[in-house]
Short mmCIF file of all heavy atoms in Angstrom, two decimals:
data_model
loop_
_atom_site.label_atom_id
_atom_site.label_comp_id
_atom_site.label_asym_id
_atom_site.label_seq_id
_atom_site.Cartn_x
_atom_site.Cartn_y
_atom_site.Cartn_z
N LEU A 1 16.02 -61.93 48.01
CA LEU A 1 15.37 -61.68 46.73
C LEU A 1 13.86 -61.41 47.01
O LEU A 1 13.28 -60.45 46.44
CB LEU A 1 15.47 -62.93 45.78
CG LEU A 1 14.75 -62.80 44.46
CD1 LEU A 1 15.26 -61.66 43.57
CD2 LEU A 1 14.88 -64.14 43.73
N TYR A 2 13.30 -62.16 47.84
CA TYR A 2 11.82 -61.88 48.26
C TYR A 2 11.65 -60.47 48.82
O TYR A 2 10.80 -59.75 48.43
CB TYR A 2 11.45 -62.97 49.29
CG TYR A 2 10.10 -62.88 49.76
CD1 TYR A 2 9.02 -63.08 48.90
CD2 TYR A 2 9.73 -62.56 51.09
CE1 TYR A 2 7.68 -63.03 49.33
CE2 TYR A 2 8.39 -62.46 51.51
CZ TYR A 2 7.44 -62.66 50.64
OH TYR A 2 6.09 -62.59 51.05
N ARG A 3 12.59 -60.12 49.77
CA ARG A 3 12.49 -58.75 50.33
C ARG A 3 12.69 -57.65 49.26
O ARG A 3 11.97 -56.68 49.26
CB ARG A 3 13.58 -58.59 51.42
CG ARG A 3 13.27 -59.31 52.66
CD ARG A 3 14.29 -58.94 53.78
NE ARG A 3 14.47 -60.14 54.65
CZ ARG A 3 15.58 -60.84 54.63
NH1 ARG A 3 16.56 -60.63 53.89
NH2 ARG A 3 15.60 -61.91 55.43
N ASP A 4 13.61 -57.86 48.35
CA ASP A 4 13.85 -56.90 47.31
C ASP A 4 12.65 -56.73 46.40
O ASP A 4 12.32 -55.63 46.05
CB ASP A 4 15.09 -57.26 46.45
CG ASP A 4 16.44 -57.17 47.21
OD1 ASP A 4 16.48 -56.50 48.22
OD2 ASP A 4 17.41 -57.78 46.78
N ILE A 5 12.03 -57.86 46.10
CA ILE A 5 10.80 -57.83 45.24
C ILE A 5 9.71 -57.02 45.93
O ILE A 5 9.05 -56.18 45.35
CB ILE A 5 10.38 -59.24 44.86
CG1 ILE A 5 11.40 -59.85 43.86
CG2 ILE A 5 8.97 -59.26 44.25
CD1 ILE A 5 11.18 -61.34 43.60
N LEU A 6 9.47 -57.38 47.20
CA LEU A 6 8.41 -56.69 47.97
C LEU A 6 8.71 -55.23 48.12
O LEU A 6 7.78 -54.38 47.97
CB LEU A 6 8.24 -57.34 49.39
CG LEU A 6 7.60 -58.73 49.34
CD1 LEU A 6 7.39 -59.22 50.73
CD2 LEU A 6 6.30 -58.71 48.51
N ARG A 7 9.97 -54.82 48.30
CA ARG A 7 10.32 -53.39 48.39
C ARG A 7 10.02 -52.72 47.06
O ARG A 7 9.49 -51.59 46.99
CB ARG A 7 11.80 -53.21 48.72
CG ARG A 7 12.03 -53.32 50.19
CD ARG A 7 13.48 -52.88 50.56
NE ARG A 7 13.78 -53.50 51.80
CZ ARG A 7 14.68 -54.61 51.91
NH1 ARG A 7 15.24 -55.03 50.85
NH2 ARG A 7 14.91 -55.12 53.05
N SER A 8 10.37 -53.32 45.93
CA SER A 8 10.17 -52.76 44.66
C SER A 8 8.62 -52.61 44.33
O SER A 8 8.26 -51.61 43.76
CB SER A 8 10.75 -53.65 43.52
OG SER A 8 12.10 -53.65 43.65
N LEU A 9 7.86 -53.50 44.89
CA LEU A 9 6.41 -53.49 44.58
C LEU A 9 5.73 -52.34 45.27
O LEU A 9 4.66 -51.92 44.95
CB LEU A 9 5.72 -54.81 45.00
CG LEU A 9 6.12 -56.03 44.03
CD1 LEU A 9 5.51 -57.22 44.58
CD2 LEU A 9 5.72 -55.72 42.60
N ARG A 10 6.39 -51.72 46.27
CA ARG A 10 5.88 -50.55 46.92
C ARG A 10 5.70 -49.43 45.98
O ARG A 10 4.90 -48.47 46.17
CB ARG A 10 6.79 -50.12 48.02
CG ARG A 10 6.85 -51.03 49.27
CD ARG A 10 7.77 -50.48 50.28
NE ARG A 10 8.03 -51.47 51.34
CZ ARG A 10 9.06 -51.39 52.14
NH1 ARG A 10 9.90 -50.36 52.03
NH2 ARG A 10 9.23 -52.32 53.03
N GLN A 11 6.46 -49.39 44.85
CA GLN A 11 6.44 -48.35 43.84
C GLN A 11 5.25 -48.48 42.92
O GLN A 11 5.04 -47.55 42.13
CB GLN A 11 7.72 -48.36 43.05
CG GLN A 11 8.95 -48.17 43.96
CD GLN A 11 10.22 -48.33 43.06
OE1 GLN A 11 10.21 -48.17 41.86
NE2 GLN A 11 11.30 -48.66 43.76
N VAL A 12 4.52 -49.62 42.92
CA VAL A 12 3.41 -49.79 41.99
C VAL A 12 2.32 -48.82 42.44
O VAL A 12 1.81 -48.85 43.56
CB VAL A 12 2.90 -51.27 42.03
CG1 VAL A 12 1.73 -51.41 41.14
CG2 VAL A 12 4.00 -52.14 41.58
N PRO A 13 1.87 -47.92 41.52
CA PRO A 13 0.89 -46.85 41.88
C PRO A 13 -0.51 -47.38 42.19
O PRO A 13 -1.22 -46.93 43.03
CB PRO A 13 1.01 -45.90 40.73
CG PRO A 13 1.58 -46.65 39.61
CD PRO A 13 2.35 -47.76 40.15
N ASP A 14 -0.97 -48.35 41.32
CA ASP A 14 -2.32 -48.84 41.45
C ASP A 14 -2.39 -49.88 42.63
O ASP A 14 -1.80 -50.96 42.52
CB ASP A 14 -2.74 -49.44 40.13
CG ASP A 14 -4.20 -49.94 40.11
OD1 ASP A 14 -4.94 -49.57 41.10
OD2 ASP A 14 -4.49 -50.69 39.22
N PRO A 15 -3.26 -49.63 43.62
CA PRO A 15 -3.38 -50.51 44.74
C PRO A 15 -3.84 -51.95 44.30
O PRO A 15 -3.37 -52.99 44.89
CB PRO A 15 -4.42 -49.92 45.67
CG PRO A 15 -4.49 -48.48 45.21
CD PRO A 15 -4.09 -48.49 43.80
N GLU A 16 -4.69 -52.05 43.36
CA GLU A 16 -5.13 -53.35 42.85
C GLU A 16 -3.97 -54.18 42.27
O GLU A 16 -3.82 -55.36 42.52
CB GLU A 16 -6.29 -53.27 41.93
CG GLU A 16 -7.61 -52.90 42.62
CD GLU A 16 -8.78 -52.92 41.57
OE1 GLU A 16 -8.78 -53.75 40.65
OE2 GLU A 16 -9.66 -52.01 41.75
N HIS A 17 -3.25 -53.51 41.42
CA HIS A 17 -2.12 -54.19 40.73
C HIS A 17 -1.04 -54.53 41.81
O HIS A 17 -0.45 -55.56 41.78
CB HIS A 17 -1.45 -53.33 39.71
CG HIS A 17 -2.27 -53.26 38.44
ND1 HIS A 17 -2.79 -52.08 37.97
CD2 HIS A 17 -2.65 -54.18 37.56
CE1 HIS A 17 -3.46 -52.31 36.86
NE2 HIS A 17 -3.45 -53.63 36.65
N LYS A 18 -0.85 -53.63 42.79
CA LYS A 18 0.15 -53.93 43.82
C LYS A 18 -0.25 -55.16 44.60
O LYS A 18 0.58 -56.00 44.82
CB LYS A 18 0.28 -52.67 44.74
CG LYS A 18 1.30 -52.83 45.84
CD LYS A 18 1.32 -51.71 46.83
CE LYS A 18 1.49 -50.41 46.15
NZ LYS A 18 1.63 -49.28 47.12
N LYS A 19 -1.46 -55.18 45.02
CA LYS A 19 -1.99 -56.35 45.79
C LYS A 19 -1.84 -57.65 44.93
O LYS A 19 -1.35 -58.73 45.45
CB LYS A 19 -3.46 -56.17 46.18
CG LYS A 19 -3.94 -57.43 47.00
CD LYS A 19 -5.41 -57.21 47.46
CE LYS A 19 -5.93 -58.36 48.23
NZ LYS A 19 -5.24 -59.61 48.28
N TYR A 20 -2.14 -57.63 43.68
CA TYR A 20 -2.04 -58.84 42.81
C TYR A 20 -0.60 -59.28 42.78
O TYR A 20 -0.34 -60.44 42.89
CB TYR A 20 -2.59 -58.50 41.42
CG TYR A 20 -2.25 -59.61 40.44
CD1 TYR A 20 -3.06 -60.73 40.40
CD2 TYR A 20 -1.21 -59.48 39.56
CE1 TYR A 20 -2.74 -61.75 39.51
CE2 TYR A 20 -0.95 -60.45 38.65
CZ TYR A 20 -1.67 -61.60 38.60
OH TYR A 20 -1.40 -62.61 37.77
N LEU A 21 0.31 -58.29 42.56
CA LEU A 21 1.69 -58.67 42.43
C LEU A 21 2.30 -59.23 43.71
O LEU A 21 3.14 -60.14 43.71
CB LEU A 21 2.53 -57.42 41.89
CG LEU A 21 2.21 -57.05 40.47
CD1 LEU A 21 2.84 -55.65 40.14
CD2 LEU A 21 2.72 -58.13 39.50
N VAL A 22 1.96 -58.61 44.82
CA VAL A 22 2.47 -59.05 46.14
C VAL A 22 1.89 -60.50 46.38
O VAL A 22 2.62 -61.33 46.84
CB VAL A 22 1.98 -58.12 47.25
CG1 VAL A 22 2.23 -58.75 48.64
CG2 VAL A 22 2.76 -56.79 47.17
N ASP A 23 0.63 -60.70 46.09
CA ASP A 23 0.08 -62.07 46.25
C ASP A 23 0.77 -63.09 45.34
O ASP A 23 1.01 -64.17 45.73
CB ASP A 23 -1.44 -62.03 45.95
CG ASP A 23 -2.23 -61.34 47.03
OD1 ASP A 23 -1.68 -61.13 48.13
OD2 ASP A 23 -3.40 -61.03 46.75
N TRP A 24 1.03 -62.68 44.12
CA TRP A 24 1.78 -63.51 43.18
C TRP A 24 3.14 -63.94 43.69
O TRP A 24 3.58 -65.06 43.68
CB TRP A 24 1.90 -62.83 41.86
CG TRP A 24 2.81 -63.52 40.90
CD1 TRP A 24 2.49 -64.66 40.16
CD2 TRP A 24 4.16 -63.19 40.66
NE1 TRP A 24 3.72 -65.01 39.43
CE2 TRP A 24 4.68 -64.08 39.71
CE3 TRP A 24 5.00 -62.13 41.09
CZ2 TRP A 24 5.98 -64.07 39.26
CZ3 TRP A 24 6.28 -62.11 40.58
CH2 TRP A 24 6.81 -63.08 39.67
N ALA A 25 3.85 -62.90 44.23
CA ALA A 25 5.26 -63.11 44.77
C ALA A 25 5.18 -64.07 45.98
O ALA A 25 5.96 -65.06 46.05
CB ALA A 25 5.88 -61.83 45.14
N ARG A 26 4.25 -63.84 46.85
CA ARG A 26 4.08 -64.68 48.02
C ARG A 26 3.81 -66.10 47.62
O ARG A 26 4.37 -67.07 48.18
CB ARG A 26 3.00 -64.16 48.94
CG ARG A 26 3.39 -63.01 49.80
CD ARG A 26 2.31 -62.70 50.83
NE ARG A 26 2.74 -61.56 51.57
CZ ARG A 26 2.00 -60.52 51.84
NH1 ARG A 26 0.77 -60.50 51.44
NH2 ARG A 26 2.46 -59.51 52.52
N HIS A 27 2.88 -66.26 46.69
CA HIS A 27 2.48 -67.57 46.19
C HIS A 27 3.67 -68.33 45.62
O HIS A 27 3.94 -69.48 45.92
CB HIS A 27 1.35 -67.50 45.19
CG HIS A 27 0.99 -68.79 44.54
ND1 HIS A 27 0.33 -69.80 45.23
CD2 HIS A 27 1.29 -69.29 43.31
CE1 HIS A 27 0.17 -70.85 44.44
NE2 HIS A 27 0.69 -70.53 43.25
N GLU A 28 4.43 -67.63 44.76
CA GLU A 28 5.58 -68.25 44.11
C GLU A 28 6.66 -68.75 45.14
O GLU A 28 7.12 -69.87 45.05
CB GLU A 28 6.22 -67.34 43.18
CG GLU A 28 5.46 -67.08 41.90
CD GLU A 28 5.35 -68.35 41.06
OE1 GLU A 28 6.37 -69.06 40.84
OE2 GLU A 28 4.24 -68.61 40.58
N PHE A 29 6.93 -67.89 46.14
CA PHE A 29 7.94 -68.29 47.16
C PHE A 29 7.41 -69.39 48.06
O PHE A 29 8.12 -70.37 48.38
CB PHE A 29 8.43 -67.06 47.87
CG PHE A 29 9.47 -66.26 47.19
CD1 PHE A 29 9.11 -65.29 46.24
CD2 PHE A 29 10.76 -66.49 47.47
CE1 PHE A 29 10.13 -64.60 45.59
CE2 PHE A 29 11.78 -65.82 46.80
CZ PHE A 29 11.45 -64.82 45.88
N LYS A 30 6.10 -69.28 48.47
CA LYS A 30 5.55 -70.29 49.35
C LYS A 30 5.48 -71.66 48.58
O LYS A 30 5.73 -72.74 49.23
CB LYS A 30 4.18 -69.92 49.85
CG LYS A 30 4.23 -68.97 50.94
CD LYS A 30 2.82 -68.69 51.45
CE LYS A 30 2.86 -67.67 52.59
NZ LYS A 30 1.47 -67.47 53.15
N GLN A 31 5.13 -71.66 47.34
CA GLN A 31 5.00 -72.83 46.52
C GLN A 31 6.32 -73.63 46.45
O GLN A 31 6.30 -74.83 46.44
CB GLN A 31 4.50 -72.52 45.10
CG GLN A 31 4.30 -73.62 44.22
CD GLN A 31 3.92 -73.20 42.78
OE1 GLN A 31 3.54 -71.98 42.62
NE2 GLN A 31 3.81 -74.09 41.94
N ASN A 32 7.40 -72.88 46.44
CA ASN A 32 8.71 -73.50 46.27
C ASN A 32 9.51 -73.62 47.61
O ASN A 32 10.74 -73.97 47.55
CB ASN A 32 9.56 -72.79 45.22
CG ASN A 32 8.86 -72.84 43.91
OD1 ASN A 32 8.64 -73.92 43.38
ND2 ASN A 32 8.53 -71.70 43.29
N LYS A 33 8.91 -73.31 48.67
CA LYS A 33 9.58 -73.25 49.98
C LYS A 33 10.23 -74.58 50.38
O LYS A 33 11.32 -74.60 50.96
CB LYS A 33 8.56 -72.83 51.05
CG LYS A 33 9.15 -72.74 52.42
CD LYS A 33 8.09 -72.30 53.42
CE LYS A 33 8.68 -72.16 54.80
NZ LYS A 33 7.70 -71.78 55.78
N GLY A 34 9.60 -75.69 50.03
CA GLY A 34 10.09 -76.98 50.45
C GLY A 34 11.10 -77.58 49.52
O GLY A 34 11.57 -78.72 49.74
N GLU A 35 11.55 -76.92 48.50
CA GLU A 35 12.55 -77.48 47.55
C GLU A 35 13.87 -77.65 48.25
O GLU A 35 14.34 -76.82 49.00
CB GLU A 35 12.71 -76.54 46.35
CG GLU A 35 13.64 -77.05 45.30
CD GLU A 35 13.14 -78.30 44.65
OE1 GLU A 35 11.97 -78.36 44.18
OE2 GLU A 35 13.89 -79.34 44.72
N THR A 36 14.47 -78.86 48.07
CA THR A 36 15.73 -79.15 48.75
C THR A 36 16.92 -79.35 47.70
O THR A 36 18.09 -79.40 48.13
CB THR A 36 15.60 -80.43 49.58
OG1 THR A 36 15.17 -81.49 48.76
CG2 THR A 36 14.65 -80.19 50.72
N ASP A 37 16.60 -79.56 46.42
CA ASP A 37 17.65 -79.77 45.41
C ASP A 37 18.37 -78.48 45.16
O ASP A 37 17.81 -77.49 44.71
CB ASP A 37 17.04 -80.40 44.14
CG ASP A 37 18.07 -80.72 43.15
OD1 ASP A 37 19.26 -80.34 43.23
OD2 ASP A 37 17.69 -81.41 42.19
N GLU A 38 19.69 -78.45 45.46
CA GLU A 38 20.44 -77.21 45.29
C GLU A 38 20.47 -76.67 43.91
O GLU A 38 20.35 -75.47 43.68
CB GLU A 38 21.93 -77.49 45.78
CG GLU A 38 22.01 -77.72 47.24
CD GLU A 38 23.42 -77.97 47.61
OE1 GLU A 38 24.43 -77.58 46.91
OE2 GLU A 38 23.66 -78.63 48.71
N GLU A 39 20.52 -77.56 42.92
CA GLU A 39 20.57 -77.03 41.49
C GLU A 39 19.21 -76.47 41.14
O GLU A 39 19.18 -75.39 40.49
CB GLU A 39 20.86 -78.20 40.59
CG GLU A 39 22.33 -78.66 40.56
CD GLU A 39 23.27 -77.55 40.22
OE1 GLU A 39 22.97 -76.90 39.25
OE2 GLU A 39 24.25 -77.34 40.87
N VAL A 40 18.12 -77.04 41.64
CA VAL A 40 16.86 -76.45 41.28
C VAL A 40 16.65 -75.10 41.99
O VAL A 40 16.19 -74.17 41.39
CB VAL A 40 15.67 -77.44 41.73
CG1 VAL A 40 14.37 -76.80 41.63
CG2 VAL A 40 15.82 -78.71 41.00
N ILE A 41 17.14 -75.02 43.20
CA ILE A 41 17.05 -73.75 43.96
C ILE A 41 17.86 -72.69 43.27
O ILE A 41 17.42 -71.53 43.04
CB ILE A 41 17.55 -73.94 45.44
CG1 ILE A 41 16.61 -74.87 46.19
CG2 ILE A 41 17.65 -72.59 46.12
CD1 ILE A 41 17.15 -75.32 47.58
N ARG A 42 19.06 -73.05 42.82
CA ARG A 42 19.89 -72.02 42.06
C ARG A 42 19.19 -71.61 40.76
O ARG A 42 19.22 -70.37 40.43
CB ARG A 42 21.25 -72.65 41.75
CG ARG A 42 22.17 -72.72 42.87
CD ARG A 42 23.64 -73.03 42.45
NE ARG A 42 24.39 -73.38 43.60
CZ ARG A 42 24.65 -74.63 44.06
NH1 ARG A 42 24.19 -75.68 43.35
NH2 ARG A 42 25.43 -74.78 45.07
N MET A 43 18.53 -72.57 40.08
CA MET A 43 17.84 -72.19 38.87
C MET A 43 16.73 -71.24 39.20
O MET A 43 16.48 -70.26 38.46
CB MET A 43 17.33 -73.43 38.19
CG MET A 43 16.67 -73.16 36.82
SD MET A 43 15.46 -74.42 36.36
CE MET A 43 14.36 -74.47 37.69
N MET A 44 15.93 -71.55 40.25
CA MET A 44 14.81 -70.67 40.60
C MET A 44 15.31 -69.32 41.05
O MET A 44 14.70 -68.30 40.69
CB MET A 44 13.99 -71.35 41.70
CG MET A 44 13.16 -72.59 41.21
SD MET A 44 11.98 -73.17 42.40
CE MET A 44 13.04 -73.83 43.68
N LEU A 45 16.39 -69.22 41.73
CA LEU A 45 17.00 -67.97 42.11
C LEU A 45 17.37 -67.12 40.90
O LEU A 45 17.17 -65.93 40.83
CB LEU A 45 18.18 -68.12 43.07
CG LEU A 45 17.86 -68.43 44.55
CD1 LEU A 45 19.09 -68.79 45.30
CD2 LEU A 45 17.18 -67.26 45.22
#
């Protein structure tokens, strides 16, 4: 999912918006990296 999102963000024409969205995606995934509860992970996915 992370790879798919980053690939899609390549299509964003404005470099500033692209950087903001890539940073947002990275932050969201890093923030939840340590989650171990399977149900919570499924919900986030």
Side-chain angles (χ1 to χ4, degrees):
L1 178 60
Y2 181 67
R3 286 187 212 107
D4 290 343
I5 289 170
L6 291 182
R7 276 190 206 106
S8 292
L9 292 176
R10 291 179 191 162
Q11 300 172 25
V12 176
D14 181 17
E16 285 185 37
H17 286 119
K18 184 186 301 185
K19 181 181 179 347
Y20 171 79
L21 291 169
V22 168
D23 289 345
W24 169 80
R26 280 190 183 133
H27 173 74
E28 287 295 315
F29 277 84
K30 280 184 181 182
Q31 180 180 353
N32 296 303
K33 182 179 179 180
E35 184 60 58
T36 57
D37 185 345
E38 290 177 27
E39 286 301 314
V40 173
I41 296 170
R42 282 191 193 99
M43 182 204 60
M44 287 189 293
L45 281 170

